[in-house]
Amino acid sequence: MSRTPPSGVVKNVMMVESASESIRSTPTSQNGVGSVPNQSDAGGTREGSASGETNGELSTAELLHFQQQQALQMARQLLLQQATGLSTPSSTENKQPSVQVPVSVAMMSPQMITQQQMQQILSPAQLQAVMQQQQALMLQQLQEYYKKQQEQLHLQLLSQQQAGKQQAKEAALGNKQLAFQQQLLQMQQIQQQHLLNLQRQSLVGLQPGQGQVTMPGLPQAVSPSDLQQLLKEMSNNQEDSSKQDNAELSSTISTSFSSSKMSPPTVHPSLPNGQSALQNSSSHYEMPPSSHPLYGHGECRWPGCEALCEDMGQFIKHLNTEHALDDRSTAQCRVQMQVVQQLEIQLSKESERLQAMMTHLHMRPSEPKHFSQPLNLVSSATHTKMSPDNYPDGLPQPPTSATAPITPMRAGTSVISSSSLPSMGPVRRRIVDKFCTPISSELAQNHEFYKNAEVRPPFTYASLIRQAILDTPDRQLTLNEIYNWFTRMFAYFRRNTATWKNAVRHNLSLHKCFVRVENVKGAVWTVDELEYQKRRPPKMTGSPTLVKNMISGLGYGALNASYQAALAESSFPLLNSPPLHNSSGSGIHGGHDDVTSTGEPGNSNGSSPRLSPQYSQSVHVKEEPAEEDVRPASLSVTNPNTVLPEDHDLEPETAMEDLS
DNA sequence: TTCATCTTAAACAACC
DNA sequence: TGGTTGTTTAAGATGA
């Protein structure tokens, strides 16, 4: 067959530019291990965890935002109470320091006071005071509850001990005592988390020595079941609490927090001006008449209520009368907040435990450090906790003793695949990245993982080579630079160099999507995106198994995002994953993709430190099987930065160019 | 079973 | 001469 003409065709050019060629061949460029090529280190400095929170989960910032709104809501209530002279017998004692608030504002109805207005009216110090005030209130109420709870527990213990004199009940007594003791222990543990959580809830935290609330006599814990008892106690004890005529405000608070009961307190960042569910709580009333979070099975599901309501109208009436804005309702809302927070803490702990288990199962025991979890198999909360930032970086050479490298958990494969078992021999490591896995986002998220763990990257050589090339500002690499990229990005490729380097060369030559371009400094490899896309199935219907695995593996609604990312990555991974850019690449890339600026081949804006703006080059187009005209591909290769095979990616590209 | 794809290995040539 | 780069072929594995 007639293959590509040998590189000697452009030998004259290369000979002329032999001086620059010598510059390219740096002495350190061959070992690869730990070496940083003189080119822009496109992947060396990016941190995968930076984008780990953008998977649709509740981020820390969102949680803080939500908590801030909770505090604002409480502040709103306090303002109203202050303005109307509402007396709160049990809580006003602790309102220190008092918040100076314009009465005109406080007199406004809750619907009139928006979050922005509140923030404008209240200074940060005032807001902080309000939040601290609320915390003190909450702690005081919890303290009372804890005391009662402890008394109850002791009474129960005493009664059980008395009853335990009977021989037949000794076993059961022991169990119950043990259960009580465990409960006490558990309460102590949770209470510690609770205190931490309360401090975290405040955006500014309690000042040292200010607002520090200690509860020495408390059982130091609260569980959801305990809180339910608290609700009943409170509902029984506080019979004569004043019933305000602020049904709307009460409804606002109750529905807002009741929504938290039904689901985690997710906010709605898409809402304008950062207004979240608290301000849009009225929408909860717009739900179908037969549906209400606080109404079910003909009963009021307000905590501790269980009042029978025949229909929704009666329930609404009951809600507005029995659960209006008063101290009891407010306290119950706070307690419900604690319930939700405890559940969140529990979820976080369980997720962290899962993380540790999975890490243990997929890491060698001798692995000296933790790595970020490949793909979004765990919640973002866990992911952020296990982000690489939390661990030291820059480990030396990972151990190279394993014969069967471990494989990170993938969305496209089962979580614990056979390839991760050491005794499975040769494994099919390839993950069909063409279907679902955006390699750029995968690498961005798990950069530290692959960099330090000797894990075979679940991508084909072609995908990796392409990523390496696209990772550079000018989207062209020499073979040696590709080698360096492999060794820099993946610990796995720091061994068996002969094998995979041969494979790299083989792939470069084999696949038409890789085009060898001769320029002044030698041969560089570029990616013909058009050809690369030809290799990829046009849609995600090629593998039902993979699709199924992806659905089950991603979870948390990440499928859609992953699919979109895959679609986006198929053309412009760098544009769709900004963290991929390092300091040198991001700034350059944003402006160098000027499609219309010049028709000069290659990177012509001179932004690349490796290439001169003027250089001659020749493109070696691999022989095309008789299908389509290869000219567009060749043209696109001539200027590697102008490969825009898909329209839906072309617009963002243009938009970025406009911005830059 | 067939086919496509990928990986690995190897041989070979050209070049430095 | 040895190493690098690039091409080509072949065999085997894997999954659809």
Side-chain angles (χ1 to χ4, degrees), chain A residues 310-365:
Chain A
E310 295 181 357
D311 53 9
M312 181 61 69
Q314 187 177 356
F315 163 73
I316 295 297
K317 184 178 179 181
H318 162 80
L319 192 66
N320 292 332
T321 55
E322 298 298 325
H323 305 299
L325 175 60
D326 54 16
D327 292 344
R328 184 186 64 176
S329 300
T330 305
Q332 288 171 339
C333 285
R334 294 173 191 146
V335 169
Q336 186 63 30
M337 289 171 57
Q338 296 302 311
V339 172
V340 174
Q341 288 183 354
Q342 290 301 321
L343 291 175
E344 289 176 345
I345 290 173
Q346 187 68 21
L347 173 63
S348 176
K349 291 181 67 177
E350 294 299 326
S351 298
E352 195 170 1
R353 181 183 301 178
L354 173 64
Q355 168 80 27
M357 293 167 63
M358 297 166 80
T359 304
H360 168 71
L361 292 177
H362 289 266
M363 293 292 145
R364 272 190 296 277

Side-chain angles (χ1 to χ4, degrees), chain A residues 90 139-149 218:
Chain A
S90 62
L139 288 173
Q140 185 190 19
Q141 291 172 354
L142 287 173
Q143 183 177 4
E144 295 174 358
Y145 161 69
Y146 293 148
K147 287 180 180 177
K148 293 178 182 178
Q149 197 69 16
L218 302 185

Side-chain angles (χ1 to χ4, degrees), chain A residues 602-633:
Chain A
N603 183 12
S604 59
N605 63 349
S607 60
S608 170
R610 303 187 298 115
L611 294 177
S612 171
Q614 292 85 18
Y615 61 89
S616 62
Q617 64 180 11
S618 68
V619 178
H620 295 235
V621 179
K622 297 182 180 65
E623 186 181 60
E624 187 82 8
E627 49 178 335
E628 295 182 23
D629 189 7
V630 75
R631 288 302 97 194

Side-chain angles (χ1 to χ4, degrees), chain A residues 494-549:
Chain A
R494 290 166 196 158
R495 64 185 181 94
N496 298 331
T497 57
T499 298
W500 65 263
K501 284 183 176 178
N502 185 23
V504 167
R505 292 195 305 270
H506 165 75
N507 278 266
L508 284 171
S509 298
L510 183 66
H511 298 301
K512 292 178 293 184
C513 59
F514 299 121
V515 182
R516 183 171 178 269
V517 180
E518 293 284 350
N519 60 21
V520 293
K521 54 169 293 184
V524 294
W525 290 92
T526 61
V527 179
D528 185 350
E529 282 292 332
L530 206 58
E531 284 296 331
Y532 188 82
Q533 299 305 320
K534 287 180 182 178
R535 297 172 54 246
R536 303 163 69 95
K539 54 186 178 180
M540 232 175 63
T541 57
S543 173
T545 303
L546 285 170
V547 173
K548 181 188 66 178
N549 290 339

Side-chain angles (χ1 to χ4, degrees), chain A residues 279-327:
Chain A
Q279 287 181 303
N280 294 273
S281 59
S282 60
S283 62
H284 292 289
Y285 272 151
E286 297 174 0
M287 62 183 63
S290 61
S291 174
H292 194 286
L294 291 174
Y295 181 68
H297 301 288
E299 290 183 355
C300 174
R301 305 183 70 174
W302 185 277
C305 179
E306 298 179 358
L308 295 176
C309 302
E310 295 181 357
D311 53 9
M312 181 61 69
Q314 187 177 356
F315 163 73
I316 295 297
K317 184 178 179 181
H318 162 80
L319 192 66
N320 292 332
T321 55
E322 298 298 325
H323 305 299
L325 175 60
D326 54 16
D327 292 344

Side-chain angles (χ1 to χ4, degrees), chain A residues 141-328:
Chain A
Q141 291 172 354
L142 287 173
Q143 183 177 4
E144 295 174 358
Y145 161 69
Y146 293 148
K147 287 180 180 177
K148 293 178 182 178
Q149 197 69 16
Q150 190 178 32
E151 291 173 0
Q152 280 189 352
L153 287 172
H154 283 302
L155 287 176
Q156 287 177 325
L157 276 173
L158 290 175
S159 62
Q160 291 291 340
Q161 286 175 353
Q162 291 177 356
K165 292 178 181 179
Q166 301 177 3
Q167 194 74 10
K169 295 183 179 179
E170 279 187 355
L173 173 64
N175 292 335
K176 288 185 178 180
Q177 283 180 339
L178 184 62
F180 281 128
Q181 291 174 358
Q182 289 177 349
Q183 186 178 4
L184 280 172
L185 194 62
Q186 182 182 7
M187 291 173 72
Q188 290 178 358
Q189 294 175 352
I190 300 178
Q191 178 59 25
Q192 292 178 355
Q193 296 178 356
H194 172 231
L195 292 176
L196 291 175
N197 201 30
L198 282 178
Q199 291 192 0
R200 187 188 61 182
Q201 182 181 8
S202 173
L203 293 177
V204 293
L206 293 177
Q207 298 294 331
Q210 176 186 4
Q212 293 282 357
V213 181
T214 58
M215 293 178 283
L218 302 185
Q220 306 294 313
V222 58
S223 65
S225 58
D226 299 332
L227 293 172
Q228 292 292 333
Q229 294 183 9
L230 169 64
L231 295 176
K232 291 182 179 179
E233 287 184 9
M234 294 178 68
S235 62
N236 293 332
N237 296 335
Q238 301 180 5
E239 294 177 350
D240 298 331
S241 60
S242 59
K243 292 184 171 54
Q244 305 300 318
D245 199 13
N246 300 320
E248 293 179 346
L249 178 58
S250 171
S251 302
T252 302
I253 297 177
S254 63
T255 51
S256 298
F257 289 119
S258 64
S259 63
S260 299
K261 177 186 177 182
M262 304 306 291
S263 62
T266 55
V267 297
H268 305 280
S270 61
L271 294 176
N273 302 326
Q275 300 180 7
S276 69
L278 283 174
Q279 287 181 303
N280 294 273
S281 59
S282 60
S283 62
H284 292 289
Y285 272 151
E286 297 174 0
M287 62 183 63
S290 61
S291 174
H292 194 286
L294 291 174
Y295 181 68
H297 301 288
E299 290 183 355
C300 174
R301 305 183 70 174
W302 185 277
C305 179
E306 298 179 358
L308 295 176
C309 302
E310 295 181 357
D311 53 9
M312 181 61 69
Q314 187 177 356
F315 163 73
I316 295 297
K317 184 178 179 181
H318 162 80
L319 192 66
N320 292 332
T321 55
E322 298 298 325
H323 305 299
L325 175 60
D326 54 16
D327 292 344
R328 184 186 64 176

Side-chain angles (χ1 to χ4, degrees), chain A residues 300-614:
Chain A
C300 174
R301 305 183 70 174
W302 185 277
C305 179
E306 298 179 358
L308 295 176
C309 302
E310 295 181 357
D311 53 9
M312 181 61 69
Q314 187 177 356
F315 163 73
I316 295 297
K317 184 178 179 181
H318 162 80
L319 192 66
N320 292 332
T321 55
E322 298 298 325
H323 305 299
L325 175 60
D326 54 16
D327 292 344
R328 184 186 64 176
S329 300
T330 305
Q332 288 171 339
C333 285
R334 294 173 191 146
V335 169
Q336 186 63 30
M337 289 171 57
Q338 296 302 311
V339 172
V340 174
Q341 288 183 354
Q342 290 301 321
L343 291 175
E344 289 176 345
I345 290 173
Q346 187 68 21
L347 173 63
S348 176
K349 291 181 67 177
E350 294 299 326
S351 298
E352 195 170 1
R353 181 183 301 178
L354 173 64
Q355 168 80 27
M357 293 167 63
M358 297 166 80
T359 304
H360 168 71
L361 292 177
H362 289 266
M363 293 292 145
R364 272 190 296 277
S366 61
E367 203 67 33
K369 67 177 288 186
H370 297 84
F371 303 102
S372 60
Q373 193 69 35
L375 288 180
N376 300 323
L377 291 179
V378 294
S379 65
S380 63
T382 306
H383 188 85
T384 53
K385 287 181 180 178
M386 300 297 289
S387 65
D389 295 336
N390 297 347
Y391 301 99
D393 195 0
L395 282 179
Q397 182 76 5
T400 59
S401 58
T403 56
I406 52 179
T407 301
M409 288 152 289
R410 299 283 320 168
T413 57
S414 57
V415 172
I416 302 176
S417 62
S418 60
S419 61
S420 62
L421 302 178
S423 60
M424 293 306 291
V427 294
R428 189 64 166 179
R429 310 175 192 86
R430 166 166 49 104
I431 299 300
V432 187
D433 51 285
K434 62 181 65 177
F435 289 109
C436 60
T437 304
I439 181 173
S440 58
S441 60
E442 164 75 4
L443 291 181
Q445 292 182 8
N446 309 302
H447 171 247
E448 289 295 321
F449 178 83
Y450 293 117
K451 184 179 178 181
N452 296 284
E454 196 173 328
V455 175
R456 171 103 187 194
F459 305 103
T460 63
Y461 280 110
S463 300
L464 291 172
I465 293 169
R466 171 180 175 268
Q467 183 62 32
I469 294 172
L470 296 182
D471 237 1
T472 59
D474 44 4
R475 302 190 178 189
Q476 49 185 338
L477 282 178
T478 64
L479 178 65
N480 192 47
E481 288 168 344
I482 295 174
Y483 290 162
N484 291 334
W485 187 88
F486 271 67
T487 55
R488 187 178 67 248
M489 297 294 291
F490 304 98
Y492 176 83
F493 291 120
R494 290 166 196 158
R495 64 185 181 94
N496 298 331
T497 57
T499 298
W500 65 263
K501 284 183 176 178
N502 185 23
V504 167
R505 292 195 305 270
H506 165 75
N507 278 266
L508 284 171
S509 298
L510 183 66
H511 298 301
K512 292 178 293 184
C513 59
F514 299 121
V515 182
R516 183 171 178 269
V517 180
E518 293 284 350
N519 60 21
V520 293
K521 54 169 293 184
V524 294
W525 290 92
T526 61
V527 179
D528 185 350
E529 282 292 332
L530 206 58
E531 284 296 331
Y532 188 82
Q533 299 305 320
K534 287 180 182 178
R535 297 172 54 246
R536 303 163 69 95
K539 54 186 178 180
M540 232 175 63
T541 57
S543 173
T545 303
L546 285 170
V547 173
K548 181 188 66 178
N549 290 339
M550 183 172 59
I551 293 172
S552 60
L554 285 175
Y556 296 107
L559 169 63
N560 189 33
S562 178
Y563 177 50
Q564 292 177 357
L567 290 177
E569 183 265 348
S570 63
S571 291
F572 284 96
L574 302 180
L575 292 178
N576 291 282
S577 56
L580 277 176
H581 298 270
N582 67 344
S583 57
S584 62
S586 59
I588 296 171
H589 185 73
H592 94 289
D593 276 339
D594 192 350
V595 180
T596 59
S597 62
T598 174
E600 207 164 47
N603 183 12
S604 59
N605 63 349
S607 60
S608 170
R610 303 187 298 115
L611 294 177
S612 171
Q614 292 85 18

